[in-house]
Each structure stands twice: as structure tokens, then as C-alpha cells.
Amino acid sequence: MRPRIGYKKLAAVGVAAVVGVASTIALTSGSASASPVFGYSGYSYGTDVESGLANSGPQVISKFGCTTDATKHDKNDLSTANVNNQAIARSVKTDTHAFNNKSGTGVTSTATAADIRVGNLLTLTGVKTTTTAKYYKGQLSYTGDTTFAGVKIGAISVPSLLKPKWNTKIAVPGLGYIVLNRVGGVKTASGIYSYAQAVVLHATVKNQYIPQGVDVAVLKTRAEISKPATALVIGSAYGTKATADKLVVSDATSLQTTCQGTEGKTVRVAVGELNIPKVAYVGGVYTTKNGAIGTNKSYINFTSHVAGVKVGSLSIGAIESSASAWKTKDGKGGVSSSSTIASIKVGGKTYAVPTGENKTLNIPGIASLTFNKVLRQKRYIEVDALVINVYSLNTKVIVGHSAAGVVS
């Protein structure tokens, strides 16, 4: 059985996925070239809670951005992935690498875990999932698969599930149901991306491990390669990201990135409200992207929308940002950005929102705020609608991030 699993309530754990993060290629791609280029990109997550108040955004991350470098490689080893303060996956290892060899050019993304457990309801051991997207002799293709050393539902071992078929659905008493070896791919005029997930947990009944109504993907991999093109569109958008010192507390929520655009269609990713433990409460978040690559013109637009953020006594109203970039075949191009914030309150006091780029506001004893923080390069721009530095927690929260660029 191959059910369609929607992303509306998706929470991702142990992600080794491949999509683009704009800043890397914008800073490292080098001089422009008239020769066709491929676009490679990648990221790996340990945890990524994207539904309800289940805990936080992505954690345990390794990633590389949208790049033309076929030797790019990143990994993250020996980490524990948590959902709702439960250690769901242990000894997680993620690996994402680009390649250009006799088999073709593309990306392979792999994630493994010593075990995945949901209390005594489900135990999966020796888990490995991988997917590859590639371009070879003018053709796009993908592969994906998951294997297990052991599968136990409740107290019953199920050896027939060690090498499950794609999208195998199994009932799990006390939890709901799971989908093993979820695999798929999408081919467009500009390239291809594929995904493979070891297991998707659907908590349809009340239990002590995962909030009811939440879906969790464990060991999720994604790979993307663009066809050779005169120019790539790059960029990213996310709702929030939090770091304490140099430690990521909660990585990018509702993250969207690209190397090849969307064929002119608008793609929207939304998550419900979430709680970043001990840091902030975040209202609903959604991001959009729209763009295309072509022989005459390449363009990309990203937007980010956050319903509101609360950090202690600090309350921020609706927050939005956008970033756009474009380039034509005759070398003309441009970039632009914008951001807005509805309101700022501390207790009963309301503060005016500064206008202009890179403006700051200090709220004594609480936080330092930076508004409309903009970084520009020749054909690349990024904007953070708001950056909150929380004094008591030594924590930085980025809200409303959008970035866009074109590179050739």
C-alpha cells in the first residue's frame, strides 16, 4: 500500500536532506562563467519538529548550501534525536555528498541510527535510509531505500519488515500507525529531487511519547540535482532560528531553499505554533518560494511570514520578509528585499518599530533588537526581519528570514 503522506503535520527527525541554502554559493561560487553549471545542495537534521507544541524546530544539523562544487560533503555523527523530550533515535549519523563520476552527476543523502524507539510500542534497530538523485547522459533518475536489522512492534518481532517495500503501512497499537521506507521523487523541466524516510510515525491516539495528531519522519533523506543551465537561482526562507552561544537550539522552521526554482509556481510550506524550550513561543509560520531558470531569464522570490513571537515579557506581532533576485541572458539583473513588523510590546508598554535597514532597539534588562538586517552582494541579498538577542539566556533568535540570488 502506498499512501500519500501530507506535510501539513510533518515533524522530521534525523533528516539528511538535500536542498539549497543561499549564502554558501553566494560566497564561494567564484567568477561567472558562460559554461553550463549543475546545482548541488544539502542539509542534515537530527530533529525537526514542525507540528504543534511538540518541542522545537530542527536540531543536530550538518548542511551545505546550493553549490556548483561536485566535491561538496558534510556529515554529523553520533547524535540523539529527540521529540517531545523523548529520545526517539539514538546514534544518528547523517551524510550528504555531491558527486560527478562515471555514474553521472548528482547527490546522495544517507541517514543511519542504531535504534529508533517509541517507548515499548515500537523498536527498530540497525536502521539505514538513503536516496540518490542524478543526471546521466541527458536523463534524470532517482533511487531510494531503507533497511532494518530488526523490527519489533510491541513485544513481537516482524522479520518480514527488515526490507520493506516502498511506503509499507503498519498499525502500531497504542500509537496509531507507521509508514516504513517512504520513497518518492519529483522530476521537473529544471532537474529532479528525491526523498526517502526510514519511518513516518503517525500518532493518532493519545500516548506519552508523541502528541496526538503529530506526524514524525525519522531518518529523512532528500537529494536534488539541477540540469545544466546558464544560471542557477539560489536562496532560502524560514520563520525562526535560535542559537545559544554557538549551539543551535532550534534551527530553521518552515525552511525552503532552491537551486532550480519552481517552474514559476508558488510553493508554500506551513507549520503550526511551536515552543523553543526555555527560549520562545512562536505562532504559526509559513514561507513561499517562486522562481524559474531559463535561457532568457532566471529569477527567484522568497517570503517568510510569522504570526508572532513571545520571549519572556517581550511580545512581537506579525513579522514578514521577502527577497528577490533576477538575471537576463544579456547580463542585466537585480536584487531587492523588504520586511515588516506589526508591533513590539513589553508588558503594557508599546515600542515604535524603527524604519530603514539595520536599525537597533535596546530594551534594558530584556533584549537587544535589530530590525530589517540586510546583507547585499552583487547578485545576492538576504534579510532578517528581526534579530532578538536575549540577555538572560545569551540566546539569539532570528525571525523572518528571506534570501535570494542568481549565480552562473
Side-chain angles (χ1 to χ4, degrees), residues 16-22 24-25 38-44 63-69 72 96-98 106-109 192-193 222-226 232-235 257-260:
V18 180
V19 290
V21 177
T24 302
I25 189 168
F38 290 93
Y40 314 86
S41 52
Y43 66 71
S44 302
K63 59 188 175 184
F64 63 78
C66 182
T67 179
T68 57
D69 182 1
K72 203 69 176 179
T96 299
H97 68 271
V107 176
T108 294
S109 186
I192 192 171
Y193 73 82
R222 176 180 160 116
E224 181 178 348
I225 180 71
S226 71
L232 301 177
V233 290
I234 60 175
T257 55
T258 191
C259 268
Q260 55 182 277

Side-chain angles (χ1 to χ4, degrees), residues 7 12-19 43-45 93-96 107-112 128-133 142-146 181-185 193-199 217-224:
Y7 284 95
V13 177
V15 182
V18 180
V19 290
Y43 66 71
S44 302
Y45 290 169
K93 297 183 180 183
T94 58
D95 181 287
T96 299
V107 176
T108 294
S109 186
T110 301
T112 65
K128 179 180 180 180
T129 189
T130 186
T131 187
T132 294
Y142 74 91
T143 58
D145 201 22
T146 300
N181 196 21
R182 182 173 184 255
V183 176
Y193 73 82
S194 60
Y195 58 86
Q197 300 164 23
V199 56
V218 188
L219 302 189
K220 177 182 176 182
T221 66
R222 176 180 160 116
E224 181 178 348

Side-chain angles (χ1 to χ4, degrees), residues 144-397:
D145 201 22
T146 300
T147 58
F148 304 90
V151 176
K152 185 181 289 186
I153 299 174
I156 302 174
S157 294
V158 190
S160 62
L161 295 178
L162 299 184
K163 295 183 179 181
K165 295 180 180 179
W166 287 2
N167 305 320
T168 299
K169 182 178 178 180
I170 305 294
V172 177
L175 177 69
Y177 69 96
I178 61 175
V179 177
L180 300 177
N181 196 21
R182 182 173 184 255
V183 176
V186 176
K187 186 186 297 185
T188 71
S190 304
I192 192 171
Y193 73 82
S194 60
Y195 58 86
Q197 300 164 23
V199 56
V200 183
L201 311 171
H202 296 265
T204 61
V205 299
K206 188 175 181 179
N207 66 91
Q208 68 185 85
Y209 309 108
I210 300 172
Q212 186 177 359
V214 170
D215 301 339
V216 181
V218 188
L219 302 189
K220 177 182 176 182
T221 66
R222 176 180 160 116
E224 181 178 348
I225 180 71
S226 71
K227 285 183 177 179
T230 56
L232 301 177
V233 290
I234 60 175
S236 61
Y238 58 79
T240 61
K241 180 179 181 180
T243 57
D245 293 321
K246 294 184 179 180
L247 175 66
V248 175
V249 176
S250 172
D251 204 30
T253 57
S254 290
L255 175 67
Q256 291 210 71
T257 55
T258 191
C259 268
Q260 55 182 277
T262 64
E263 296 187 296
K265 303 173 184 176
T266 297
V267 178
R268 186 177 188 270
V269 172
V271 299
E273 58 189 10
L274 61 91
N275 180 49
I276 303 174
K278 301 180 181 179
V279 177
Y281 165 83
V282 182
V285 176
Y286 77 90
T287 58
T288 70
K289 64 180 176 182
N290 179 293
I293 58 177
T295 56
N296 295 319
K297 181 180 180 180
S298 294
Y299 69 94
I300 187 67
N301 308 296
F302 277 97
T303 71
S304 175
H305 309 259
V306 181
V309 177
K310 293 183 179 179
V311 180
S313 60
L314 176 64
S315 180
I316 311 293
I319 301 155
E320 297 185 352
S321 71
S322 66
S324 301
W326 59 277
K327 182 185 176 184
T328 61
K329 66 178 182 180
D330 57 5
K332 296 180 180 179
V335 297
S336 64
S337 71
S338 68
S339 69
T340 61
I341 297 173
S343 61
I344 304 168
K345 294 182 180 180
V346 177
K349 184 176 181 179
T350 299
Y351 290 79
V353 178
T355 59
E357 296 181 2
N358 303 307
K359 300 296 183 179
T360 60
L361 171 65
N362 179 46
I363 302 177
I366 297 178
S368 172
L369 309 180
T370 301
F371 302 87
N372 197 24
K373 184 177 179 182
V374 178
L375 169 66
R376 283 185 177 84
Q377 295 178 347
K378 185 176 181 180
R379 289 197 173 94
Y380 172 81
I381 192 167
E382 67 177 49
V383 56
D384 296 326
L386 178 64
V387 179
I388 307 171
N389 286 286
V390 186
Y391 295 135
S392 61
L393 301 175
N394 193 26
T395 296
K396 179 172 72 174
V397 183

